[in-house]
Amino acid sequence: MADDEPLTEVDLIRWAESLAGIARTGLGFTESTYERERYEEVLSVAAEIARSARRVHDPAEAVTEWLGQVGSGVAGY
């Protein structure tokens, strides 16, 4: 995306999916409470981005769904 191009819903969705994937991977490997809290915060940010892209209606529900996917190999919404 060039600097002069407008931000699209596709851009937001790509960012949300990338952040959620990074966070789920981290959650699958960490044993640290601090890191777990940080990764869960990243999931919350990803859910807010997804809501901005009109991909999810309830960010908290998206976070819960993503947390349920940790370690399952499932990706996406």
Side-chain angles (χ1 to χ4, degrees), residues 26-27 30-40:
L27 285 165
T30 191
E31 294 181 14
S32 165
T33 301
Y34 173 79
E35 288 178 0
R36 181 165 193 76
E37 290 171 354
R38 298 292 49 141
Y39 287 127
E40 288 175 0

Side-chain angles (χ1 to χ4, degrees), residues 9 13 16-17 49-58 76-77:
E9 287 184 12
I13 293 165
E17 289 176 351
I49 293 170
R51 181 176 66 174
S52 294
R54 299 182 190 108
R55 185 68 175 243
V56 299
H57 296 290
D58 183 358
Y77 298 99

Side-chain angles (χ1 to χ4, degrees), residues 13-74:
I13 293 165
R14 183 174 45 85
W15 294 344
E17 289 176 351
S18 292
L19 285 172
I22 291 166
R24 286 193 310 267
T25 298
L27 285 165
F29 287 96
T30 191
E31 294 181 14
S32 165
T33 301
Y34 173 79
E35 288 178 0
R36 181 165 193 76
E37 290 171 354
R38 298 292 49 141
Y39 287 127
E40 288 175 0
E41 181 62 24
V42 171
L43 283 180
S44 294
V45 170
E48 290 295 330
I49 293 170
R51 181 176 66 174
S52 294
R54 299 182 190 108
R55 185 68 175 243
V56 299
H57 296 290
D58 183 358
E61 187 177 295
V63 169
T64 300
E65 182 179 335
W66 286 331
L67 286 170
Q69 295 170 352
V70 172
S72 69
V74 173

